[in-house]
Structure formats: structure tokens, C-alpha cells
Amino acid sequence: MSAAATQERTALVLYGSETGNAQDVAEELGRLAQRLHFSSFVSSLDAVEPTWLQNYSVVLIAISTTGQGDFPANSKLFWKKLLRKKLPGNYLARVSFALFGLGDSSYPKFNWAALKLYKRLLQLGADPVANKGEGDEQHPEGVDSLFIPWTKTLREQLLSLFPLASGLSPIPENILLQPQWLLGKADQFNSSRQDAAPVVDSSYQNAATDTALDVTLESNDRVTAEGHWQDVRLLKFKASEATDYEPGDILTVYPENAPEDIDNLLKLLGWQDIADVPITFRHNSDFVGPTTAPEPKYGAGSNTGTMTLKHMVTHHLDLNAIPRRSFFSLIMHFTSDKFQKTRLQELTDTDYTDELFDYTTRPHRSILEVLQEFDTLKIPWQWAASILPPLRGRQFSIASGGQLKSDASGLACFELLVAIVKYKTVIRKIRRGTCTRYLDGLAVGSKLKVTLVKGSLGINSRDASRPIIMIGPGTGVAPMRSLIWQRLRWQARLSEQVNSTNGVNGNAKNELGENLLFFGCRNKESDYFFQDEWQDLQQRMPLEVIPAFSRDQSRKVYVQDVIRDHLQEVFRLVNDLQGIVYVCGSSGKMPQAVREALTDTFQQGLSSDRKTAEAYLNAMEKQGRYKQETW
């Protein structure tokens, strides 16, 4: 870090990222800074000290918001340090910065982490070089719809505040930026030399806060009817050790690319001969900039050994991601075909964002398909990790809780409710999700590595006596099931407390609160998950399940409709008994539709106007009585 800071024109690019999107944006900001002749260093927020920000010409930050307006795991430590009360108002007085937030407007606290971080930096005396940018994943054209115009403004501001020396111009887009690291054959380098670094076989992110586990697949059962359009699986895993988790926690699964996709890529790019040769990262002698950045790693984990190119492509490089604009900016340098180069250049033109959207996002065209279409590309295998994005783990809300969390010997058990992604696009091609395709073909007895991630619902036993309303259509019922089983365990503990006082129980706090679940699906006979299980649980605890079958009648009925049908009961639990509402499932239209239904409920229950009802719901959020987890 210190070597980077000694450069006259330096940029520190930081990210707080949960799923990798903010990291992708940060890397694009790093390339923007490079083209303006800044020596740039890209890092997670938690990897730096706040005082280091003062050592750079400019600090560029990309941060996403997770859960209930929370910071991503790899930025929480940095945020905690910024909140120290003893910090003076001029603590960051010499820091020039720009910040871009990535959020989802279906969440109540849209871009909350970006808002809080931006405000705190201002409080500590930092000076913004551009207005705060806010990207929205719900926008039809995604985050780029706002990120691109924001970067254009940022570029102009940087050139104005940090003018280039006489005779020096920004590096144009048609010039290929050299990466600091390239791949090389492992036997060509002495591992003790500074220009060589092992490619570690590691798949974990945020290892400081996540728990890495070895698990075995116990069962992989389809839970939708055979004739139903969607294949949904209930997968059960057993860990090799004991560990605990709470409702709302997440299991991250690290998929592998399909063998046919791997073979197609290696053949397409002419990498077959090198596929099984051990490789290592090496410093790129053509790179211009700070040389203190650590070698690329795929998270934390084993720090020894090498891997083959085929292993890297199998486990660590994403072949089926929808390519970003930066991907086309890179690959256009590896073809000599005039027509294909021109077409690739068109796809990088920021003045025609709809062109890229129509080619990539709308048809969900994958990186592998792009490489197949632009068949004149000659990409050196040494550039594989520089051009292909990392294959990141996929997160799934855990569906098990209570007695389902461990076996008789105490080993941890996990259940996931997973919809297998398979559909036909507008260009009539079949698309399959990389991770769910991997899980689809996973045989019982398969062993894999996962990480256990703390969720954001903030569920704990102190709320056992409170009533809860759970709204979980489709696979959104997974964390709701975990919560129901957990509350059944809490009920047993409350009963033990009553028995320990010789049966004296005059306090409602010693009784489990009511549990109301609104579940939505298409058909009662096709995808009513856990129907028999609910009936059994209703005999053991105060549980009411109200389903909404959208296709079992001529009029489509969704969870928001059945909420309105039961508004008196909902209002009683929320208002009279101070209950908690949990909303989980798709991040599309459902969350807003549910909010509207709840607002209608409060408006009628309070005999108030719309504004008062909306304020009531907002107050619930601040009290932690309305929580949303959507994906």
C-alpha cells in the first residue's frame, strides 16, 4: 500500500460487495482512473485503514446495500472504524472522493449503505469530487443505466481537478490496458521469486465472517409435480462438524461449470494443449503502475499449491455470466477481423446503452455464446483470468431450523429449497442457471464445500412470545420454514420454563406468539411446498397457513390479495399485539405489492388517510418490526 501512496497521481478504489457486483464496478473505476494516468489500487474496504485514504490523490468507492440497509460483510469493519466517536471533524479533511452505490429499489432502504457512508465521509471532512451515484438493479437496463452517465461526469471532474501534464492525454479506449498479473506455466518460475505467485485453489469470500464447511448431499428431491413447468428441489446436506445457525442465515454454494461448456471453451480458444499444465500468476512486465498489489486470489482458503488451466475454468471462471461492457472492451483487442472488431466496438459505445442491453441482457446471452459468435478472437490463455469474470458462489436462504438443524450425533444439517433455473429466451435458446444446473445433477453422496453466512433478518429468541406474520411466496418460504421450526423449539423451551415454576404461568411472555404464514404458488396440486408438513405443525404450535393459488381459478390471486382478505387479523397481530412482519421471495413486483396491501390494512385499521398508514409502516421498519429479504 505504501508504495502506491507515494506516486504523485494516485487513486485508491474501494468496494463493499456481497455478491461481487460492487467489486465489478470498482474494477471498472480502477480502469477509468488508469486511463487518466492515475496509479490505481483496487481493494475491499475492510482491507484498508481509514487513515490510508489521506495518502491518495483521490478515493473512489463502490458499495452495495444488503438486507435491512446493511453494509456488505467486507466493509463492516471499515464502517465501524469510521463511527468511532473520538474522530475529529477534520479527520479526512485532505481526502477527495467519489462514491457510487448499488441497490435494489424493491427494498425499503434503497442504497442505504451508500447514503450512510457518503454522509459520514462528509462529516469527517472529506471532499466529494462528484455527486453520489445510485444504481438500481430494478432498472430495465440494470445498474449501468445510471453508472455510465455518472462515470462520464466523474471523468470530467477528475480531469478538471487533477489536470494532466502538458502533452499528456487520457489513454483512449482503443488502447488495451495491461493487467498487473498474467498466467504462466508454473515450471517457468521459481516460487521464491517475486514475479511469480501460486494460483491458490480457493473459493471462499469474506472468510473472516463466514464459516467454511465440508458437507455431503443426503438427498436431492423434486418437490413440484412432475408435469409442473418448474422443477424445484429440496436438497438436504450434512456437515462434517457441529455448527449452529439462525433463521434467515444463508448457505453459499460454489458451483462448477458444466463439462460440455468447459470443453467448448478450451476448443474454441485453442487452449486444449495447455489445459492440464500447472499454472501460476506472474507479474506482467508491460504493466505500468504500483507493483505492491497482492496476487489474484479466489477468496480465502488454502494458500499453497497450483492448479491447471482446466481446473481454473471449471471452478473459478464464469462462462455463463451475462457479459458487462468492460468484457467487450477487452476482447475487441484480440481479433484482426475488421467486421467483428467494429461490432465489438459498437457494443462498448456508452452512447448506445440500449444496443448492449438488446444484445446481452434481453436475451440473456452468455460469455461463452459471445465467444462462439465472435469466432475470430484469438485470446491468449495467459489472459484467461483477466478477461473471464470470477465464478462466484450462489447464496440460498436455509430452509431448516429447530430440530432439523442437526442429526442425532449433533452434526449440522442444512436444507435448501432451490428452483432449477431453465427457460427459453426471446431468441428461442434454452438458458440454465450455472449453480442450479450444477445442483440438478448432483448425486446423493457428493461432497462439496460451502460457506455459512449470517443473514440480515435479525431473528432471535427474545421475540418468541411476539406474534409474527410471514409472507413468503414460492421459494421465499424457505427462511419462513426455518423460522417456524425454530419457533417450535423455542416453544418447547418456554414450556420448560413454565414447568420449572411448578406450572405457574400468568405471564403471556412465557407462551409462544401466534404464527401466520401467507404462502403463494400457482397450483395447490403442483407447487404447494410443505403442505403436509404445515398440517402436522399446526397440531403442535399456534400456526395458521393461508395459501394463495394464482392459477387455480379464473382470477389470479396473489399473497397481497389474501393479505387484504384477512386485514382484520393482520392488523390485530401487528397493531394490538406488536407483531413482526417478514417478507421473503422475489425482488420483482412482489415486495411493493405487499407493502401496498399492508398500507391498505393499516389505513382501514387506523381509520386514517394514506399518508398516516404509510408513516405507520415506516415506523415499523425503524422499530425492526418489518423486515424484508428478497433476491
Side-chain angles (χ1 to χ4, degrees):
M1 293 292 296
S2 59
T6 61
Q7 303 293 324
E8 292 184 0
R9 188 179 179 86
T10 56
L12 178 60
V13 186
L14 302 172
Y15 60 85
S17 185
E18 196 73 28
T19 61
N21 291 331
Q23 183 176 349
D24 290 343
V25 166
E27 288 169 353
E28 287 196 40
L29 291 175
R31 288 188 287 269
L32 181 150
Q34 270 188 279
R35 293 193 180 279
L36 300 183
H37 297 280
F38 286 90
S39 293
S40 62
F41 185 90
V42 182
S43 170
S44 67
L45 280 158
D46 277 357
V48 304
E49 292 292 331
T51 53
W52 294 356
L53 276 60
Q54 301 172 5
N55 300 326
Y56 291 81
S57 305
V58 66
V59 178
L60 308 177
I61 303 173
I63 186 165
S64 61
T65 297
T66 66
Q68 317 308 309
D70 302 324
F71 279 72
N74 59 5
S75 62
K76 288 183 177 179
L77 179 61
F78 180 87
W79 175 240
K80 183 178 180 181
K81 291 176 180 177
L82 282 190
L83 291 179
R84 288 178 293 191
K85 294 181 180 179
K86 294 183 179 180
L87 297 182
N90 62 350
Y91 182 69
L92 298 177
R94 297 191 304 273
V95 174
S96 297
F97 79 98
L99 185 148
F100 187 84
L102 293 85
D104 184 329
S105 58
S106 69
Y107 277 79
K109 295 182 178 179
F110 171 59
N111 264 318
W112 207 251
L115 178 64
K116 290 191 288 188
L117 180 56
Y118 186 84
K119 183 178 179 180
R120 183 57 176 161
L121 291 172
L122 293 179
Q123 289 174 346
L124 295 175
D127 183 27
V129 300
N131 291 331
K132 172 170 56 68
E134 294 189 13
D136 183 7
E137 292 181 7
Q138 290 298 317
H139 191 283
E141 295 179 14
V143 171
D144 273 356
S145 61
L146 294 170
F147 178 65
I148 289 172
W150 182 80
T151 54
K152 288 182 177 180
T153 301
L154 174 65
R155 185 179 185 276
E156 294 172 359
Q157 290 294 102
L158 290 176
L159 285 173
S160 174
L161 294 169
F162 305 96
L164 293 170
S166 178
L168 193 63
S169 300
I171 301 172
E173 292 292 332
N174 62 355
I175 299 297
L176 177 63
L177 291 177
Q178 292 289 330
Q180 180 173 345
W181 297 90
L182 290 173
L183 294 171
K185 294 181 181 178
D187 60 5
Q188 294 179 349
F189 299 94
N190 185 323
S191 61
S192 65
R193 287 172 51 190
Q194 292 184 348
D195 61 352
V199 180
V200 298
D201 184 2
S202 164
S203 305
Y204 311 115
Q205 299 174 355
N206 304 332
T209 55
D210 301 347
T211 303
L213 297 167
D214 293 306
V215 299
T216 301
L217 180 64
E218 299 281 293
S219 63
N220 187 350
D221 299 324
R222 177 170 178 148
V223 291
T224 47
E226 286 299 327
H228 188 59
W229 69 277
Q230 188 174 45
D231 180 359
V232 178
R233 303 293 180 85
L234 181 64
L235 298 105
K236 298 181 180 181
F237 299 93
K238 182 183 292 185
S240 58
E241 60 188 274
T243 190
D244 195 21
Y245 57 91
E246 300 299 332
D249 286 355
I250 295 163
L251 204 67
T252 303
V253 177
Y254 300 90
E256 299 175 6
N257 285 305
E260 56 267 37
D261 289 347
I262 298 164
D263 292 341
N264 285 338
L265 178 85
L266 296 174
K267 182 178 180 181
L268 181 67
L269 297 178
W271 294 351
Q272 303 102 310
D273 293 342
I274 194 69
D276 297 316
V277 176
I279 57 173
T280 185
F281 279 111
R282 64 173 176 83
H283 281 292
N284 180 6
S285 59
D286 293 327
F287 175 76
V288 178
T291 58
T292 55
E295 71 275 8
K297 292 182 181 180
Y298 296 93
S302 172
N303 58 3
T304 59
T306 61
M307 69 172 78
T308 64
L309 181 64
K310 187 172 184 178
H311 184 96
M312 175 179 277
V313 172
T314 301
H315 298 277
H316 300 301
L317 300 179
D318 198 339
L319 310 185
N320 291 294
I322 298 174
R324 296 178 62 87
R325 187 179 309 277
S326 57
F327 174 78
F328 294 98
S329 298
L330 282 171
I331 65 172
M332 72 180 187
H333 296 283
F334 296 99
T335 179
S336 57
D337 183 89
K338 185 177 180 180
F339 173 77
Q340 291 198 0
K341 182 182 283 288
T342 300
R343 177 57 177 152
L344 289 168
Q345 288 173 333
E346 291 172 352
L347 292 170
T348 67
D349 192 334
T350 57
D351 290 330
Y352 300 99
T353 57
D354 55 340
E355 183 77 12
L356 179 65
F357 179 83
D358 289 341
Y359 179 72
T360 57
T361 305
R362 190 183 300 280
H364 290 245
R365 186 175 266 107
S366 70
I367 282 176
L368 182 57
E369 289 173 326
V370 170
L371 294 175
Q372 289 169 335
E373 287 193 23
F374 292 90
D375 54 2
T376 63
L377 288 165
K378 303 296 180 184
I379 301 174
W381 63 267
Q382 292 89 340
W383 282 71
S386 301
I387 289 179
L388 298 173
L391 180 59
R392 297 187 170 97
R394 270 50 167 186
Q395 297 184 335
F396 298 95
S397 289
I398 299 171
S400 45
Q403 67 186 55
L404 305 181
K405 295 197 295 183
S406 61
D407 66 0
S409 62
L411 296 178
C413 297
F414 305 90
E415 298 185 19
L416 303 180
L417 186 66
V418 178
I420 303 301
V421 179
K422 186 178 181 180
Y423 59 95
K424 187 174 290 187
T425 71
V426 294
I427 57 175
R428 315 303 295 172
K429 286 194 174 183
I430 299 295
R431 290 283 180 270
R432 303 190 67 183
T434 298
C435 190
T436 59
R437 182 182 185 181
Y438 168 68
L439 292 174
D440 180 12
L442 207 59
V444 171
S446 297
K447 299 183 183 300
L448 59 158
K449 291 182 180 293
V450 298
T451 50
L452 177 61
V453 183
K454 187 68 179 174
S456 64
L457 290 179
I459 296 169
N460 60 69
S461 59
R462 292 192 300 272
D463 296 321
S465 60
R466 274 188 167 184
I468 60 171
I469 297 174
M470 299 162 284
I471 303 162
T475 56
V477 77
M480 306 295 91
R481 178 181 184 249
S482 174
L483 177 55
I484 289 169
W485 276 101
Q486 190 64 39
R487 285 173 67 87
L488 178 63
R489 172 174 285 184
W490 291 341
Q491 176 179 260
R493 292 176 180 172
L494 290 172
S495 298
E496 291 174 1
Q497 293 174 8
V498 172
N499 293 334
S500 68
T501 58
N502 298 319
V504 178
N505 180 19
N507 191 343
K509 290 186 177 181
N510 289 330
E511 297 178 356
L512 184 70
E514 296 177 58
N515 305 271
L516 176 59
L517 170 64
F518 290 101
F519 172 72
C521 64
R522 288 202 168 199
N523 311 102
K524 181 178 181 179
E525 302 301 326
S526 297
D527 56 343
Y528 188 2
F529 305 137
F530 310 117
Q531 180 180 2
D532 295 337
E533 186 175 296
W534 302 142
Q535 293 176 357
D536 174 63
L537 287 168
Q538 285 173 325
Q539 305 304 313
R540 303 163 65 183
M541 63 187 296
L543 171 67
E544 181 180 5
V545 180
I546 301 176
F549 305 116
S550 64
R551 301 300 195 275
D552 276 353
Q553 59 284 312
S554 57
R555 181 179 71 89
K556 294 180 181 179
V557 176
Y558 299 104
V559 286
Q560 59 265 29
D561 300 312
V562 292
I563 289 172
R564 290 187 175 94
D565 292 341
H566 296 79
L567 60 85
Q568 289 184 343
E569 183 175 6
V570 170
F571 187 74
R572 177 182 67 84
L573 295 176
V574 171
N575 186 72
D576 301 351
L577 301 179
Q578 294 294 292
I580 304 173
V581 176
Y582 299 98
V583 182
C584 296
S586 170
S587 63
K589 298 178 180 179
M590 183 275 293
Q592 184 58 37
V594 167
R595 286 184 69 88
E596 291 295 327
L598 290 173
T599 303
D600 290 344
T601 298
F602 301 146
Q603 184 174 354
Q604 181 164 331
L606 296 168
S607 300
S608 67
D609 57 19
R610 192 73 175 176
K611 187 175 181 179
T612 301
E614 290 172 349
Y616 185 92
L617 183 53
N618 291 335
M620 285 182 60
E621 291 176 45
K622 293 179 180 179
Q623 298 163 5
R625 294 199 300 122
Y626 180 89
K627 300 183 180 183
Q628 177 180 317
E629 184 64 61
T630 54
W631 50 84

